Amino acid sequence: MDFSNELKSRQKLVENVLTKYMPKSTSLYDQVVYNAMKYSLMSGGKRIRPILMLEAYKICGGNNVMDIEPFMAAMEMIHTYSLIHDDLPAMDDDDYRRGKLTCHKKYGEDVAVLAGDALLNTAFEIMLGACLKDNKVNTKHKLLASKEIATAAGVKGMIGGQVADVVQIETNIDVINYIHIHKTSAIIEASLTAGATLAHGSLQKVDIFRKIGNCIGLAFQIQDDMLDITSTTEELGKQVGSDNKNGKKTYVSIKGLEESRQIVNELIEKALDSLENFDNGNKEFLEEFILYLRSRKK
């Protein structure tokens, strides 16, 4: 398998799905918010979450990609909304994202807030629309997948993690784990569990993917902590040193670079071990994708 070409193929698929589901303005009065939504949604990125959803779907026997396209689009819209809000002056106050001006720097804080809100709401419109289209059997699984995504995006997941990140009353490793698991892992977990659910995967398979997502998500965020110190603005596509600038404690500030790197490796190995529970040939790309995430530079 040529992993590089396979990855590009999947990323291209995601781009096409996003183009398909990105709503278009029908009025001059609201055009600016649609432009801001599209600017952030289509500004590149690795498209990790929809790709993970697709792979879990395939591994669990799903064979109609059109069935999960709305959920792939919704997940990436939710992720993009979180980035728009995360970059705001009230949060991390970043000027660049993926090598481009952040949404609020391009369109202003007011429009950026509304663009993030609009992407979140559009995600739920898309998922609910998909749930209303099919027979009762598919509807149940689509509703379950929607609930997985909604919970991960809400106060029990990403928002809860973001609140703890903003407040960060204490600075011990337990608090940082809470932030990472809720702010980052929850959405990555939901990408996998939603994909498995949409393929009518068993509860056991969904639970395995939940464990894989937890490991990948935590490793991913620890890597972000590391890259914030070791990378450059040009390579990372956003400002480095923002954690230090904002006075945030991270894995690196508490554990150091080497131990943080070791923890990432251990988490990735745990994810790969859990993936061994699936014995079909559809898991090869996901194995390579997990290894690719471990070695990412941005």
Side-chain angles (χ1 to χ4, degrees):
M1 180 186 68
D2 186 334
F3 173 74
S4 179
N5 283 336
E6 290 290 333
L7 176 59
K8 288 176 183 177
S9 174
R10 283 162 175 79
Q11 289 171 331
K12 180 63 175 176
L13 170 64
V14 174
E15 296 292 324
N16 290 338
V17 168
L18 294 176
T19 299
K20 178 179 176 180
Y21 283 96
M22 174 64 209
K24 295 176 177 60
S25 171
T26 58
S27 168
L28 288 174
Y29 302 118
D30 60 12
Q31 194 172 54
V32 66
V33 77
Y34 283 90
N35 291 342
M37 291 164 67
K38 186 175 181 180
Y39 173 80
S40 293
L41 185 65
M42 306 305 294
S43 66
K46 295 175 284 296
R47 309 307 189 190
I48 289 169
R49 292 147 192 85
I51 290 175
L52 289 174
M53 187 184 295
L54 176 64
E55 296 311 307
Y57 176 77
K58 290 180 178 178
I59 289 171
C60 288
N63 56 17
N64 183 2
V65 175
M66 289 186 68
D67 260 359
I68 70 163
E69 283 184 354
F71 299 88
M72 292 167 65
M75 182 58 82
E76 193 67 5
M77 287 179 180
I78 290 170
H79 173 57
T80 303
Y81 121 77
S82 75
L83 298 182
I84 292 173
H85 284 192
D86 202 38
D87 290 334
L88 289 168
M91 297 290 191
D92 284 348
D93 193 16
D94 282 322
D95 294 344
Y96 291 92
R97 171 73 66 175
R98 296 169 178 166
K100 298 179 180 180
L101 286 173
T102 49
C103 192
H104 71 276
K105 283 294 180 181
K106 176 82 172 177
Y107 291 96
E109 289 180 44
D110 47 4
V111 173
V113 170
L114 293 170
D117 292 343
L119 283 168
L120 176 61
N121 279 276
T122 301
F124 284 95
E125 285 183 51
I126 291 169
M127 289 191 292
L128 288 171
C131 291
L132 292 170
K133 279 185 178 179
D134 286 312
N135 62 57
K136 290 181 180 179
V137 176
N138 280 338
T139 297
K140 177 183 177 182
H141 287 86
K142 289 182 177 182
L143 285 170
L144 287 170
S146 300
K147 185 175 184 296
E148 286 278 338
I149 293 169
T151 302
V155 72
K156 294 180 181 178
M158 184 170 62
I159 291 175
Q162 183 69 69
V163 170
D165 193 20
V166 170
V167 176
Q168 210 177 90
I169 298 170
E170 297 185 47
T171 56
N172 59 55
I173 200 66
D174 290 337
V175 175
I176 294 172
N177 274 325
Y178 178 92
I179 293 168
H180 288 356
I181 288 169
H182 288 75
K183 184 178 176 181
T184 304
S185 284
I187 287 292
I188 288 177
E189 282 180 43
S191 299
L192 290 163
T193 57
T197 299
L198 289 165
H200 300 193
S202 66
L203 291 176
Q204 181 184 17
K205 289 179 179 179
V206 171
D207 188 54
I208 291 169
F209 274 119
R210 197 179 304 283
K211 291 174 182 175
I212 292 171
N214 181 273
C215 290
I216 295 172
L218 184 54
F220 188 91
Q221 190 56 54
I222 296 171
Q223 282 176 303
D224 264 8
D225 292 350
M226 295 163 60
L227 290 171
D228 191 59
I229 292 175
T230 62
S231 189
T232 64
T233 298
E234 291 73 25
E235 190 172 26
L236 200 56
K238 61 181 180 179
Q239 291 166 309
V240 296
S242 61
D243 289 332
N244 184 57
K245 178 188 75 174
N246 293 325
K248 289 184 179 178
K249 290 292 183 180
T250 67
Y251 252 84
V252 177
S253 66
I254 292 178
K255 298 283 189 179
L257 271 173
E258 286 308 311
E259 188 174 350
S260 296
R261 189 173 288 113
Q262 181 182 343
I263 292 169
V264 167
N265 288 332
E266 290 171 356
L267 288 165
I268 293 297
E269 290 304 318
K270 283 182 182 179
L272 292 171
D273 286 346
S274 293
L275 193 57
E276 288 300 311
N277 285 284
F278 300 99
D279 58 5
N280 62 58
N282 289 328
K283 68 181 181 181
E284 183 182 2
F285 176 82
L286 184 55
E287 287 175 334
E288 292 296 322
F289 191 58
I290 292 171
L291 290 171
Y292 155 77
L293 293 177
R294 175 167 64 181
S295 60
R296 71 187 178 94
K297 301 297 181 184
K298 57 182 181 178

